[in-house]
Amino acid sequence: MADKISIGELHLSGCTGCLVTIADNYEGLFKLLDDYADLVYALTLVDVRHVPEMDVCLVEGSCCLNDELSVEELKEARAKSKVLVAYGACAAYGNITRFCRGGQWNQPAHESFVPISEVVDVDLYIPSCPPCPQQVRNVAVMAYLLLKGNDEQKQLATAYLTPLMQLAQRGNEACGCDLMYDVINQGLCMGCGTCAGTCPVRAVTMEYGKPNVNRDQCIKCGACYSQCPRSWFNFDVMNNYEGIMGAIKGAMQ
Amino acid sequence: MDVLGNYKSAISARSTDKDITRKSQDGGIITTLFAYALEEGIIDGAIVAGPSDEPWKPEPMVATTKAELLAAAGTRYTISPNLYLIKEATRSYGLDRVGIVGVPCQIQAVRKAQVYPIGMRDVDDKIALALGIYCMENLSYQALEAIVEDHCNQKMESVKKMDIGKGKFTVYTERGAVSQMPLKLIHKYVQPGCHVCLDYVANLADISSGSVGSPDGWSTVFVRSMKGNAVWDGAMAAGLFETQPMDQVKPGLDLVKKLATEKITKNQKHVDERKTIGLKADGTPKGLRNPYESP
């Protein structure tokens, strides 16, 4: 028990898909909770009313500036957690809440929604809508190794988490356009099809080997860009894919 | 790491299946391995570069039979975005064990999707076999069209086979004509994204294969991962390949190493040059993004 890390999920303006995604690890979630992490705060899953101290706080949803409680809870979570994660596209990039214009039941005045990094400092991004259960699992295992592991494990976890931390530094706007700006315009795209394969709303198609983004369909989740092998690629981690996949699989057994 | 990546063994090999070698580019390694893996239930289907409406323009497809694999056999020197189907294969096609073939950058994308499955839900443990093909550089379809039709003077639809080897790009037509052009002339058509690639022989694949280093009609095979090793041993035991030790064939592993070193050195230089492509107002170097350093 003492060796576990504590994880919480703060739910702001999101659809709860990210929370469901945690549960989508199925028996893996029980393994995580048995051996690696205590879930200390989460809507419906944990009966705790006020944000507690925790090692890792996953924040789901964007922050509604017209909702005092949201802003306060986000600030409190930042103050009380060692690592704050923008969990999912709404928290990281705004996602569909970027398109809000208020006037909805039952709080018509709620109309200003921002990615959480506009309110507090964020340590790490897990983009996509929703993020994949396997990615949350990997981050949870790596966070455990980072906080409780030996030197070698800490080194591995740092190398693994670095690009996700760099995404948090990169900014809080992302959409299919990033493929154009930061990959194609930069002469980096080689037409592998990852972006089109990863898009959750099928807004990306491949035209003559290069991505074409339907902007009306794009929800600004950042999945295409962060999954693209030419947005970032860390050889030290990826060359050891067999070892890392094996280690995570081993940790989950 | 070595320019050839980590590997357990390197072999010169050729498929014993005549149906496959009649259609395949060289030794028929990829087609034979996928056919074997399908047969044995190692994979439920494979994402390959299948045929499309336009001549020599590949379209990614999920092959679940040997006939479909045969329709996709052979090399087309242009982009096939195979990763496009990787998530789809586990959804619409319902595959639990997916095979995928790709050039080095695509195999890198496969491994990134496994280690960082950000938007690739339920994909990581479903990649059952990733086969890689050697790749120096790739062409857009329009570039390939320009090379075949303008430089080689052949219509795309009349071409039977295209081949790169011995410093030449060669086109064989249905009626028996052979047109060639020096390889160095096609470099200006190469897509820019290839110039930052630091992998020649698909270092991250389970098994990778290509013609370089082996005699005509044979392929050089690197068996790289534990999974690749098991599949290769199984295929060998089933008598699907005839092999020669790599150190007894011409031109041999030295040529593979030479080309890999050339590609990586040239492209590393390009990556470095990107750091200082222009000047800022204060005279300091202004650079382009380095995909290997940070997002």
Side-chain angles (χ1 to χ4, degrees):
Chain A
M1 246 338 184
D3 274 317
K4 289 206 257 182
I5 60 170
S6 53
I7 293 189
E9 213 242 19
L10 176 67
H11 198 296
L12 298 179
S13 302
C15 71
T16 324
C18 296
L19 183 68
V20 172
T21 289
I22 297 183
D24 278 350
N25 276 293
Y26 300 109
E27 67 272 31
L29 177 63
F30 296 119
K31 179 70 185 172
L32 282 173
L33 297 180
D34 282 346
D35 292 1
Y36 305 107
D38 279 322
L39 194 60
V40 294
Y41 187 69
L43 188 76
T44 76
L45 298 180
V46 184
D47 191 14
V48 173
R49 299 297 174 93
H50 299 288
V51 180
E53 298 272 346
M54 51 194 142
D55 291 323
V56 180
C57 181
L58 305 170
V59 182
E60 170 183 353
S62 59
C63 181
C64 178
L65 299 177
N66 316 116
D67 178 4
E68 209 177 316
L69 189 64
S70 288
V71 178
E72 284 314 310
E73 279 194 336
L74 179 56
K75 284 193 212 162
E76 199 181 343
R78 172 69 276 185
K80 288 183 172 174
S81 47
K82 292 199 184 88
V83 180
L84 188 90
V85 179
Y87 174 46
C90 291
Y93 299 121
N95 203 33
I96 49 167
T97 68
R98 285 283 194 195
F99 304 109
C100 281
R101 33 186 78 71
Q104 296 187 32
W105 297 106
N106 49 4
Q107 291 278 314
H110 287 186
E111 61 179 29
S112 327
F113 297 84
V114 292
I116 58 166
S117 66
E118 291 192 19
V119 179
V120 295
D121 289 334
V122 179
D123 300 309
L124 194 140
Y125 274 11
I126 306 179
S128 187
C129 177
C132 301
Q134 295 82 17
Q135 181 64 62
V136 187
R137 175 200 66 196
N138 291 3
V139 169
V141 171
M142 289 297 172
Y144 174 79
L145 293 181
L146 185 69
L147 296 171
K148 305 285 180 190
N150 59 33
D151 285 351
E152 201 184 329
Q153 290 169 325
K154 277 189 175 131
Q155 215 178 342
L156 170 71
T158 309
Y160 181 89
L161 296 171
T162 296
L164 300 174
M165 295 193 275
Q166 287 170 335
L167 275 179
Q169 297 304 311
R170 180 175 171 267
N172 53 24
E173 283 176 45
C175 65
C177 296
D178 291 4
L179 294 173
M180 209 60 73
Y181 300 148
D182 278 4
V183 181
I184 295 179
N185 289 359
Q186 288 269 328
L188 295 171
C189 178
M190 51 16 192
C192 66
T194 300
C195 47
T198 201
C199 178
V201 293
R202 302 179 197 235
V204 186
T205 50
M206 298 301 285
E207 308 295 340
Y208 285 90
K210 296 285 145 71
N212 189 45
V213 181
N214 181 339
R215 294 191 197 186
D216 289 341
Q217 253 172 297
C218 175
I219 54 170
K220 298 180 182 289
C221 74
C224 53
Y225 182 72
S226 50
Q227 193 73 73
C228 168
R230 290 288 167 81
S231 63
W232 47 273
F233 194 87
N234 44 357
F235 284 105
D236 51 342
V237 175
M238 243 73 92
N239 281 345
N240 186 26
Y241 75 93
E242 232 181 339
I244 292 175
M245 299 286 293
I248 289 172
K249 201 173 167 196
M252 297 305 289
Q253 260 162 13
Chain B
M1 200 165 72
D2 194 79
V3 289
L4 300 179
N6 299 323
Y7 59 90
K8 298 186 192 305
S9 53
I11 314 109
S12 189
R14 176 167 74 176
S15 177
T16 51
D17 187 330
K18 292 285 170 278
D19 289 342
I20 290 175
T21 46
R22 212 172 294 133
K23 288 211 66 190
S24 64
Q25 191 73 13
D26 298 293
I29 308 296
I30 306 288
T31 313
T32 307
L33 281 173
F34 274 151
Y36 165 75
L38 272 176
E39 181 93 350
E40 293 293 309
I42 298 164
I43 57 171
D44 303 322
I47 303 171
V48 295
S52 77
D53 295 342
E54 288 182 71
W56 295 93
K57 181 170 182 285
E59 185 74 37
M61 68 177 269
V62 175
T64 53
T65 62
K66 191 178 166 191
E68 284 174 327
L69 287 173
L70 277 171
T75 305
R76 273 136 298 165
Y77 293 99
T78 179
I79 306 159
S80 175
N82 284 4
L83 269 286
Y84 172 38
L85 283 178
I86 192 169
K87 194 166 65 174
E88 193 76 0
T90 69
R91 298 289 197 289
S92 305
Y93 296 82
L95 308 185
D96 284 330
R97 290 155 294 198
V98 182
I100 185 164
V101 57
V103 284
C105 56
Q106 294 178 315
I107 301 300
Q108 289 182 342
V110 171
R111 297 314 180 194
K112 184 173 171 183
Q114 286 185 288
V115 177
Y116 293 97
I118 295 168
M120 291 290 192
R121 196 182 183 94
D122 297 339
V123 158
D124 66 340
D125 59 344
K126 295 199 171 59
I127 304 293
L129 187 60
L131 302 181
I133 316 170
Y134 308 168
C135 173
M136 187 58 85
E137 50 205 9
N138 206 349
L139 304 158
S140 69
Y141 184 70
Q142 291 86 339
L144 184 69
E145 216 171 15
I147 288 164
V148 172
E149 302 212 328
D150 299 350
H151 289 267
C152 295
N153 284 318
Q154 302 295 344
K155 281 182 84 68
M156 289 293 269
E157 48 266 47
S158 66
V159 176
K160 193 174 71 181
K161 183 170 184 169
M162 300 179 195
D163 201 11
I164 288 177
K166 303 180 182 70
K168 287 195 167 64
F169 182 88
T170 311
V171 171
Y172 303 88
T173 70
E174 295 287 357
R175 298 179 63 180
V178 180
S179 291
Q180 285 191 317
M181 71 180 284
L183 207 49
K184 62 174 189 284
L185 291 183
I186 78 168
H187 290 318
K188 66 175 174 182
Y189 290 110
V190 171
Q191 61 171 347
C194 294
H195 297 317
V196 298
C197 180
L198 303 176
D199 186 352
Y200 175 57
V201 284
N203 292 349
L204 299 182
D206 291 317
I207 299 172
S208 61
S209 161
S211 67
V212 176
S214 287
D216 288 348
W218 292 69
S219 298
T220 304
V221 178
F222 290 106
V223 180
R224 298 184 179 280
S225 68
M226 292 193 323
K227 196 180 276 172
N229 212 17
V231 173
W232 183 257
D233 286 350
M236 285 300 292
L240 298 178
F241 295 109
E242 43 179 328
T243 61
Q244 304 180 68
M246 210 49 227
D247 53 10
Q248 283 170 32
V249 297
K250 297 275 176 212
L253 219 49
D254 285 347
L255 182 66
V256 189
K257 201 166 212 165
K258 177 171 167 267
L259 292 182
T261 310
E262 268 173 28
K263 173 176 179 179
I264 293 164
T265 315
K266 184 181 68 157
N267 288 353
Q268 183 62 56
K269 205 172 140 221
H270 182 77
V271 170
D272 293 340
E273 279 167 2
R274 287 169 57 93
K275 281 179 195 155
T276 57
I277 192 166
L279 286 180
K280 287 181 191 161
D282 63 359
T284 56
K286 195 174 175 66
L288 295 169
R289 272 195 57 234
N290 182 344
Y292 306 121
E293 271 174 10
S294 78

Short mmCIF file of all heavy atoms in Angstrom, two decimals, chain B residues 53-81:
data_model
loop_
_atom_site.label_atom_id
_atom_site.label_comp_id
_atom_site.label_asym_id
_atom_site.label_seq_id
_atom_site.Cartn_x
_atom_site.Cartn_y
_atom_site.Cartn_z
N ASP B 53 -7.57 1.71 -58.72
CA ASP B 53 -8.10 1.96 -60.07
C ASP B 53 -7.03 2.50 -61.02
O ASP B 53 -7.09 2.31 -62.22
CB ASP B 53 -9.25 2.97 -60.00
CG ASP B 53 -10.43 2.40 -59.22
OD1 ASP B 53 -10.46 1.17 -59.06
OD2 ASP B 53 -11.29 3.18 -58.76
N GLU B 54 -6.05 3.20 -60.44
CA GLU B 54 -5.02 3.78 -61.30
C GLU B 54 -3.82 2.85 -61.39
O GLU B 54 -3.42 2.23 -60.40
CB GLU B 54 -4.57 5.14 -60.73
CG GLU B 54 -5.63 6.20 -60.91
CD GLU B 54 -5.18 7.55 -60.39
OE1 GLU B 54 -4.31 8.17 -61.02
OE2 GLU B 54 -5.70 7.98 -59.34
N PRO B 55 -3.22 2.72 -62.57
CA PRO B 55 -2.11 1.78 -62.73
C PRO B 55 -0.91 2.15 -61.85
O PRO B 55 -0.51 3.31 -61.82
CB PRO B 55 -1.76 1.88 -64.22
CG PRO B 55 -2.33 3.17 -64.68
CD PRO B 55 -3.52 3.43 -63.82
N TRP B 56 -0.42 1.19 -61.11
CA TRP B 56 0.77 1.35 -60.27
C TRP B 56 0.57 2.29 -59.11
O TRP B 56 1.54 2.72 -58.49
CB TRP B 56 2.01 1.76 -61.11
CG TRP B 56 2.34 0.67 -62.03
CD1 TRP B 56 1.93 0.51 -63.32
CD2 TRP B 56 3.13 -0.50 -61.73
NE1 TRP B 56 2.39 -0.68 -63.83
CE2 TRP B 56 3.13 -1.31 -62.87
CE3 TRP B 56 3.81 -0.94 -60.59
CZ2 TRP B 56 3.80 -2.53 -62.92
CZ3 TRP B 56 4.49 -2.14 -60.64
CH2 TRP B 56 4.48 -2.93 -61.80
N LYS B 57 -0.68 2.66 -58.81
CA LYS B 57 -0.93 3.46 -57.61
C LYS B 57 -1.49 2.51 -56.55
O LYS B 57 -2.59 1.99 -56.70
CB LYS B 57 -1.95 4.56 -57.90
CG LYS B 57 -2.23 5.44 -56.68
CD LYS B 57 -3.05 6.66 -57.09
CE LYS B 57 -3.30 7.57 -55.92
NZ LYS B 57 -4.31 7.06 -54.99
N PRO B 58 -0.74 2.25 -55.49
CA PRO B 58 -1.21 1.30 -54.48
C PRO B 58 -2.29 1.90 -53.59
O PRO B 58 -2.35 3.11 -53.40
CB PRO B 58 0.05 1.00 -53.66
CG PRO B 58 0.91 2.19 -53.84
CD PRO B 58 0.57 2.83 -55.15
N GLU B 59 -3.13 1.04 -53.09
CA GLU B 59 -4.18 1.44 -52.15
C GLU B 59 -4.07 0.49 -50.96
O GLU B 59 -4.06 -0.73 -51.16
CB GLU B 59 -5.54 1.29 -52.84
CG GLU B 59 -6.74 1.77 -52.06
CD GLU B 59 -6.85 3.27 -52.01
OE1 GLU B 59 -6.52 3.94 -53.01
OE2 GLU B 59 -7.24 3.77 -50.95
N PRO B 60 -3.95 1.02 -49.73
CA PRO B 60 -3.84 0.11 -48.59
C PRO B 60 -5.06 -0.81 -48.51
O PRO B 60 -6.18 -0.35 -48.73
CB PRO B 60 -3.81 1.04 -47.37
CG PRO B 60 -3.44 2.37 -47.91
CD PRO B 60 -3.95 2.42 -49.32
N MET B 61 -4.83 -2.08 -48.23
CA MET B 61 -5.97 -2.99 -48.10
C MET B 61 -5.66 -4.04 -47.03
O MET B 61 -4.51 -4.28 -46.70
CB MET B 61 -6.27 -3.69 -49.43
CG MET B 61 -5.19 -4.67 -49.88
SD MET B 61 -5.63 -5.52 -51.41
CE MET B 61 -6.45 -6.96 -50.78
N VAL B 62 -6.74 -4.62 -46.49
CA VAL B 62 -6.56 -5.71 -45.54
C VAL B 62 -6.73 -7.01 -46.31
O VAL B 62 -7.79 -7.29 -46.86
CB VAL B 62 -7.60 -5.62 -44.40
CG1 VAL B 62 -7.49 -6.84 -43.48
CG2 VAL B 62 -7.40 -4.35 -43.59
N ALA B 63 -5.65 -7.79 -46.37
CA ALA B 63 -5.69 -9.06 -47.09
C ALA B 63 -5.91 -10.19 -46.09
O ALA B 63 -5.22 -10.27 -45.08
CB ALA B 63 -4.39 -9.28 -47.85
N THR B 64 -6.90 -11.03 -46.38
CA THR B 64 -7.16 -12.14 -45.46
C THR B 64 -7.02 -13.49 -46.17
O THR B 64 -7.26 -14.53 -45.57
CB THR B 64 -8.57 -12.04 -44.85
OG1 THR B 64 -9.51 -11.91 -45.91
CG2 THR B 64 -8.69 -10.86 -43.92
N THR B 65 -6.66 -13.46 -47.45
CA THR B 65 -6.45 -14.72 -48.17
C THR B 65 -5.16 -14.64 -48.97
O THR B 65 -4.63 -13.54 -49.22
CB THR B 65 -7.58 -14.98 -49.19
OG1 THR B 65 -7.56 -13.92 -50.16
CG2 THR B 65 -8.94 -15.03 -48.52
N LYS B 66 -4.66 -15.80 -49.38
CA LYS B 66 -3.44 -15.82 -50.17
C LYS B 66 -3.65 -15.14 -51.52
O LYS B 66 -2.76 -14.47 -52.04
CB LYS B 66 -2.98 -17.27 -50.37
CG LYS B 66 -1.58 -17.36 -50.95
CD LYS B 66 -1.13 -18.79 -51.08
CE LYS B 66 0.11 -18.86 -51.97
NZ LYS B 66 0.46 -20.22 -52.35
N ALA B 67 -4.86 -15.30 -52.07
CA ALA B 67 -5.15 -14.67 -53.37
C ALA B 67 -5.03 -13.15 -53.27
O ALA B 67 -4.50 -12.48 -54.16
CB ALA B 67 -6.55 -15.06 -53.83
N GLU B 68 -5.53 -12.60 -52.15
CA GLU B 68 -5.42 -11.15 -51.96
C GLU B 68 -3.97 -10.71 -51.78
O GLU B 68 -3.56 -9.66 -52.25
CB GLU B 68 -6.27 -10.72 -50.76
CG GLU B 68 -7.76 -10.70 -51.08
CD GLU B 68 -8.62 -10.43 -49.86
OE1 GLU B 68 -8.24 -10.85 -48.74
OE2 GLU B 68 -9.66 -9.80 -50.02
N LEU B 69 -3.20 -11.55 -51.07
CA LEU B 69 -1.78 -11.24 -50.90
C LEU B 69 -1.09 -11.24 -52.26
O LEU B 69 -0.26 -10.37 -52.54
CB LEU B 69 -1.11 -12.28 -49.99
CG LEU B 69 -1.43 -12.21 -48.51
CD1 LEU B 69 -0.82 -13.40 -47.79
CD2 LEU B 69 -0.93 -10.91 -47.90
N LEU B 70 -1.42 -12.20 -53.09
CA LEU B 70 -0.79 -12.28 -54.41
C LEU B 70 -1.13 -11.06 -55.27
O LEU B 70 -0.31 -10.56 -56.02
CB LEU B 70 -1.22 -13.56 -55.13
CG LEU B 70 -0.43 -14.82 -54.74
CD1 LEU B 70 -1.08 -16.06 -55.33
CD2 LEU B 70 1.02 -14.72 -55.15
N ALA B 71 -2.37 -10.57 -55.12
CA ALA B 71 -2.77 -9.38 -55.87
C ALA B 71 -1.97 -8.16 -55.45
O ALA B 71 -1.82 -7.20 -56.21
CB ALA B 71 -4.26 -9.12 -55.68
N ALA B 72 -1.43 -8.19 -54.23
CA ALA B 72 -0.67 -7.05 -53.72
C ALA B 72 0.83 -7.25 -53.86
O ALA B 72 1.61 -6.35 -53.55
CB ALA B 72 -1.04 -6.82 -52.26
N ALA B 73 1.26 -8.43 -54.31
CA ALA B 73 2.70 -8.73 -54.37
C ALA B 73 3.42 -7.80 -55.33
O ALA B 73 2.82 -7.24 -56.24
CB ALA B 73 2.91 -10.18 -54.78
N GLY B 74 4.71 -7.65 -55.13
CA GLY B 74 5.52 -6.81 -56.00
C GLY B 74 5.60 -5.39 -55.46
O GLY B 74 4.77 -4.96 -54.68
N THR B 75 6.64 -4.68 -55.93
CA THR B 75 6.88 -3.34 -55.42
C THR B 75 6.31 -2.28 -56.35
O THR B 75 6.45 -2.39 -57.56
CB THR B 75 8.40 -3.09 -55.27
OG1 THR B 75 8.94 -4.13 -54.46
CG2 THR B 75 8.67 -1.75 -54.64
N ARG B 76 5.63 -1.28 -55.74
CA ARG B 76 5.26 -0.08 -56.49
C ARG B 76 5.98 1.07 -55.82
O ARG B 76 5.85 1.27 -54.62
CB ARG B 76 3.75 0.12 -56.49
CG ARG B 76 3.06 -0.63 -57.64
CD ARG B 76 1.81 -1.33 -57.22
NE ARG B 76 2.10 -2.35 -56.20
CZ ARG B 76 1.19 -2.91 -55.47
NH1 ARG B 76 -0.04 -2.56 -55.57
NH2 ARG B 76 1.52 -3.83 -54.58
N TYR B 77 6.74 1.80 -56.62
CA TYR B 77 7.64 2.79 -56.04
C TYR B 77 6.93 4.11 -55.74
O TYR B 77 7.31 5.17 -56.22
CB TYR B 77 8.86 3.01 -56.94
CG TYR B 77 9.73 1.78 -57.01
CD1 TYR B 77 9.64 0.89 -58.07
CD2 TYR B 77 10.61 1.49 -55.97
CE1 TYR B 77 10.42 -0.25 -58.11
CE2 TYR B 77 11.39 0.35 -56.01
CZ TYR B 77 11.29 -0.52 -57.08
OH TYR B 77 12.06 -1.65 -57.11
N THR B 78 5.87 4.03 -54.99
CA THR B 78 5.17 5.25 -54.58
C THR B 78 4.46 5.00 -53.26
O THR B 78 4.46 3.88 -52.76
CB THR B 78 4.19 5.72 -55.68
OG1 THR B 78 3.52 6.88 -55.23
CG2 THR B 78 3.16 4.66 -56.00
N ILE B 79 3.88 6.08 -52.70
CA ILE B 79 3.39 6.02 -51.32
C ILE B 79 2.12 5.17 -51.19
O ILE B 79 1.17 5.35 -51.94
CB ILE B 79 3.05 7.45 -50.84
CG1 ILE B 79 4.26 8.36 -51.03
CG2 ILE B 79 2.62 7.45 -49.39
CD1 ILE B 79 3.89 9.81 -51.06
N SER B 80 2.11 4.29 -50.21
CA SER B 80 0.89 3.59 -49.82
C SER B 80 0.70 3.80 -48.32
O SER B 80 1.45 3.23 -47.53
CB SER B 80 1.01 2.10 -50.13
OG SER B 80 -0.12 1.41 -49.64
N PRO B 81 -0.24 4.64 -47.93
CA PRO B 81 -0.37 4.98 -46.50
C PRO B 81 -0.96 3.83 -45.68
O PRO B 81 -2.09 3.91 -45.20
CB PRO B 81 -1.27 6.21 -46.49
CG PRO B 81 -1.95 6.24 -47.81
CD PRO B 81 -1.18 5.40 -48.77
#
